[in-house]
Amino acid sequence: MLKKEVSEYFSNIMEKESDISASIAAITTLLKLLEHDKSETVQELDLNLQSAVEVITNSSFRITGVSSGCALFMRFITFAKLDNITFAECKKVMLDRGKVFLKKLTDARNKVAKITLPFFVDGTNILTHSKSRVVLEAMKLAVNSQKRFHVFVSESSPDKSGTEMYNCLKALDIPCTLILDSAVGYIMERVDMVMVGAECVVESGGIINKIGSCTMAICAKEFKKPFYVLTESYKFSRMYPLNQKDLPNNFIYSENNSNDDNSLSAHPLVDYTHPSYISLLFTDLGILMPSAVSDELIKLYL
């Protein structure tokens, strides 16, 4: 696949498969490339895959969690590079391992939902932010398990992704209320917990997520309400931001939203939430304290 074909294939998945995350779309694209690539050496194949990753991460879609997913994918499949097998055999093993890796990723969301289920207590009021597929999956499983709860959803400007989440919850007959982003402090005393997703989990155990997540976490801390993060482990990244300024510009701004001359005039799309504001992370690896993320990252990249 040429660079243009890689870009078109990835964009096509993102546009037509609304239930698929950017990371899974990226890895599906890499698998397609691996399947049809005409390389004759492992080194050439590596270069083509890395080139495809660069094309994907430079796309106009939000790619906050793509880098970590692609890095883990490359790490996983390249375990197959053995000196005593032919290139054709090596490529087949890499492709097989890639398919196994993708299957693990697609199963991760359901694992997170199952591990979160006991926290849905009847009568609970939950506050969430933006649209998170894994949070939606957890709530869908909870309501199918006859759990009764109410969800407050912040609008989540500037793209109103919270409104989309609200509509998804309504379609599942889950009692929910759409609130203004500025009403988070007002509503916090009425909720029992905050439950959000993450676009990326950094090495410190903090998260990079939709703009407004940090504000919500600080508010939850002040009101002594638990702030829970639901996320798949492929979003774990070997980044260590200390503050908002440490976030890369390609995470903070979209291609159409960036302004190199004056970044303050562009609306940031994500922010960084410090691990001290996070109560627990619900992942396909289990329920983790933020401090455990660095240990899990070591295991993932060993």
Side-chain angles (χ1 to χ4, degrees), residues 49 55 60 81 123 133 156 223 253 258 269 272 286 299:
L49 287 169
V55 169
S60 58
K81 294 178 186 175
R133 295 177 183 87
S156 191
F223 278 82
Y253 308 110
S258 61
L269 300 176
Y272 167 63
K299 293 176 188 176

PDB file of all heavy atoms in Angstrom, residues 49 55 60 81 123 133 156 223 253 258 269 272 286 299:
ATOM      1  N   LEU A  49       6.115  -0.175   7.385  1.00  0.00           N
ATOM      2  CA  LEU A  49       5.183  -0.083   8.501  1.00  0.00           C
ATOM      3  C   LEU A  49       5.356   1.231   9.255  1.00  0.00           C
ATOM      4  O   LEU A  49       4.380   1.896   9.615  1.00  0.00           O
ATOM      5  CB  LEU A  49       5.369  -1.274   9.452  1.00  0.00           C
ATOM      6  CG  LEU A  49       4.846  -2.629   8.955  1.00  0.00           C
ATOM      7  CD1 LEU A  49       5.334  -3.756   9.856  1.00  0.00           C
ATOM      8  CD2 LEU A  49       3.318  -2.637   8.901  1.00  0.00           C
ATOM      9  N   VAL A  55       2.095   8.274   8.456  1.00  0.00           N
ATOM     10  CA  VAL A  55       0.968   8.779   7.659  1.00  0.00           C
ATOM     11  C   VAL A  55      -0.288   8.863   8.522  1.00  0.00           C
ATOM     12  O   VAL A  55      -1.015   9.862   8.495  1.00  0.00           O
ATOM     13  CB  VAL A  55       0.710   7.871   6.433  1.00  0.00           C
ATOM     14  CG1 VAL A  55      -0.613   8.226   5.756  1.00  0.00           C
ATOM     15  CG2 VAL A  55       1.851   7.988   5.433  1.00  0.00           C
ATOM     16  N   SER A  60      -5.792  13.985   9.644  1.00  0.00           N
ATOM     17  CA  SER A  60      -6.599  15.063  10.216  1.00  0.00           C
ATOM     18  C   SER A  60      -7.469  14.580  11.374  1.00  0.00           C
ATOM     19  O   SER A  60      -8.147  15.376  12.019  1.00  0.00           O
ATOM     20  CB  SER A  60      -7.482  15.692   9.134  1.00  0.00           C
ATOM     21  OG  SER A  60      -8.319  14.718   8.550  1.00  0.00           O
ATOM     22  N   LYS A  81      10.654 -11.941  14.694  1.00  0.00           N
ATOM     23  CA  LYS A  81      11.880 -11.882  13.899  1.00  0.00           C
ATOM     24  C   LYS A  81      12.898 -12.894  14.422  1.00  0.00           C
ATOM     25  O   LYS A  81      13.623 -12.638  15.370  1.00  0.00           O
ATOM     26  CB  LYS A  81      12.479 -10.475  13.943  1.00  0.00           C
ATOM     27  CG  LYS A  81      11.626  -9.431  13.266  1.00  0.00           C
ATOM     28  CD  LYS A  81      12.284  -8.072  13.406  1.00  0.00           C
ATOM     29  CE  LYS A  81      11.410  -6.975  12.874  1.00  0.00           C
ATOM     30  NZ  LYS A  81      11.977  -5.649  13.102  1.00  0.00           N
ATOM     31  N   GLY A 123     -29.567   3.249  42.098  1.00  0.00           N
ATOM     32  CA  GLY A 123     -29.811   4.590  42.611  1.00  0.00           C
ATOM     33  C   GLY A 123     -28.644   5.539  42.449  1.00  0.00           C
ATOM     34  O   GLY A 123     -28.728   6.704  42.860  1.00  0.00           O
ATOM     35  N   ARG A 133     -16.406   5.472  24.194  1.00  0.00           N
ATOM     36  CA  ARG A 133     -16.994   4.191  23.784  1.00  0.00           C
ATOM     37  C   ARG A 133     -16.957   3.174  24.910  1.00  0.00           C
ATOM     38  O   ARG A 133     -17.875   2.382  25.069  1.00  0.00           O
ATOM     39  CB  ARG A 133     -16.249   3.655  22.556  1.00  0.00           C
ATOM     40  CG  ARG A 133     -16.385   4.511  21.303  1.00  0.00           C
ATOM     41  CD  ARG A 133     -15.553   3.947  20.158  1.00  0.00           C
ATOM     42  NE  ARG A 133     -15.601   4.772  18.965  1.00  0.00           N
ATOM     43  CZ  ARG A 133     -14.788   5.790  18.733  1.00  0.00           C
ATOM     44  NH1 ARG A 133     -13.849   6.091  19.612  1.00  0.00           N
ATOM     45  NH2 ARG A 133     -14.885   6.509  17.636  1.00  0.00           N
ATOM     46  N   SER A 156     -19.726  19.110  26.562  1.00  0.00           N
ATOM     47  CA  SER A 156     -18.385  18.880  26.016  1.00  0.00           C
ATOM     48  C   SER A 156     -18.117  19.686  24.742  1.00  0.00           C
ATOM     49  O   SER A 156     -17.998  19.145  23.649  1.00  0.00           O
ATOM     50  CB  SER A 156     -18.161  17.392  25.753  1.00  0.00           C
ATOM     51  OG  SER A 156     -16.812  17.131  25.460  1.00  0.00           O
ATOM     52  N   PHE A 223     -15.078  18.083  45.983  1.00  0.00           N
ATOM     53  CA  PHE A 223     -16.348  17.604  46.536  1.00  0.00           C
ATOM     54  C   PHE A 223     -16.223  16.191  47.120  1.00  0.00           C
ATOM     55  O   PHE A 223     -17.217  15.608  47.533  1.00  0.00           O
ATOM     56  CB  PHE A 223     -17.435  17.617  45.452  1.00  0.00           C
ATOM     57  CG  PHE A 223     -18.062  18.962  45.235  1.00  0.00           C
ATOM     58  CD1 PHE A 223     -17.439  19.909  44.436  1.00  0.00           C
ATOM     59  CD2 PHE A 223     -19.269  19.292  45.835  1.00  0.00           C
ATOM     60  CE1 PHE A 223     -18.015  21.149  44.218  1.00  0.00           C
ATOM     61  CE2 PHE A 223     -19.857  20.538  45.624  1.00  0.00           C
ATOM     62  CZ  PHE A 223     -19.225  21.473  44.819  1.00  0.00           C
ATOM     63  N   TYR A 253      -4.203  20.149  19.393  1.00  0.00           N
ATOM     64  CA  TYR A 253      -4.955  20.790  18.317  1.00  0.00           C
ATOM     65  C   TYR A 253      -5.173  19.833  17.150  1.00  0.00           C
ATOM     66  O   TYR A 253      -4.342  18.967  16.890  1.00  0.00           O
ATOM     67  CB  TYR A 253      -4.224  22.033  17.799  1.00  0.00           C
ATOM     68  CG  TYR A 253      -3.838  22.998  18.892  1.00  0.00           C
ATOM     69  CD1 TYR A 253      -2.507  23.183  19.257  1.00  0.00           C
ATOM     70  CD2 TYR A 253      -4.808  23.721  19.576  1.00  0.00           C
ATOM     71  CE1 TYR A 253      -2.150  24.066  20.265  1.00  0.00           C
ATOM     72  CE2 TYR A 253      -4.470  24.601  20.584  1.00  0.00           C
ATOM     73  CZ  TYR A 253      -3.139  24.773  20.925  1.00  0.00           C
ATOM     74  OH  TYR A 253      -2.793  25.636  21.936  1.00  0.00           O
ATOM     75  N   SER A 258      -5.156  24.257  14.609  1.00  0.00           N
ATOM     76  CA  SER A 258      -3.849  24.699  15.086  1.00  0.00           C
ATOM     77  C   SER A 258      -3.537  26.093  14.566  1.00  0.00           C
ATOM     78  O   SER A 258      -4.027  26.532  13.545  1.00  0.00           O
ATOM     79  CB  SER A 258      -2.764  23.721  14.634  1.00  0.00           C
ATOM     80  OG  SER A 258      -2.715  23.668  13.238  1.00  0.00           O
ATOM     81  N   LEU A 269      -8.135  20.822  22.312  1.00  0.00           N
ATOM     82  CA  LEU A 269      -9.101  19.720  22.241  1.00  0.00           C
ATOM     83  C   LEU A 269      -8.968  18.758  23.411  1.00  0.00           C
ATOM     84  O   LEU A 269      -9.914  18.035  23.732  1.00  0.00           O
ATOM     85  CB  LEU A 269      -8.914  18.959  20.921  1.00  0.00           C
ATOM     86  CG  LEU A 269      -9.122  19.780  19.644  1.00  0.00           C
ATOM     87  CD1 LEU A 269      -8.814  18.938  18.424  1.00  0.00           C
ATOM     88  CD2 LEU A 269     -10.540  20.323  19.571  1.00  0.00           C
ATOM     89  N   TYR A 272      -4.571  17.638  30.253  1.00  0.00           N
ATOM     90  CA  TYR A 272      -3.888  16.628  31.064  1.00  0.00           C
ATOM     91  C   TYR A 272      -4.456  16.657  32.470  1.00  0.00           C
ATOM     92  O   TYR A 272      -4.544  17.720  33.102  1.00  0.00           O
ATOM     93  CB  TYR A 272      -2.385  16.912  31.090  1.00  0.00           C
ATOM     94  CG  TYR A 272      -1.614  16.138  32.136  1.00  0.00           C
ATOM     95  CD1 TYR A 272      -1.549  14.751  32.103  1.00  0.00           C
ATOM     96  CD2 TYR A 272      -0.947  16.799  33.181  1.00  0.00           C
ATOM     97  CE1 TYR A 272      -0.844  14.036  33.073  1.00  0.00           C
ATOM     98  CE2 TYR A 272      -0.232  16.098  34.138  1.00  0.00           C
ATOM     99  CZ  TYR A 272      -0.185  14.718  34.082  1.00  0.00           C
ATOM    100  OH  TYR A 272       0.513  14.014  35.046  1.00  0.00           O
ATOM    101  N   GLY A 286      -7.082  -5.052  34.683  1.00  0.00           N
ATOM    102  CA  GLY A 286      -7.595  -5.052  36.049  1.00  0.00           C
ATOM    103  C   GLY A 286      -7.840  -3.633  36.537  1.00  0.00           C
ATOM    104  O   GLY A 286      -7.683  -2.666  35.801  1.00  0.00           O
ATOM    105  N   LYS A 299       5.839  -3.973  31.805  1.00  0.00           N
ATOM    106  CA  LYS A 299       5.435  -5.326  31.402  1.00  0.00           C
ATOM    107  C   LYS A 299       5.025  -5.352  29.926  1.00  0.00           C
ATOM    108  O   LYS A 299       5.353  -6.281  29.183  1.00  0.00           O
ATOM    109  CB  LYS A 299       4.261  -5.806  32.256  1.00  0.00           C
ATOM    110  CG  LYS A 299       4.597  -6.030  33.712  1.00  0.00           C
ATOM    111  CD  LYS A 299       3.343  -6.400  34.491  1.00  0.00           C
ATOM    112  CE  LYS A 299       3.591  -6.440  35.974  1.00  0.00           C
ATOM    113  NZ  LYS A 299       2.331  -6.707  36.731  1.00  0.00           N
TER     114      LYS A 299
END
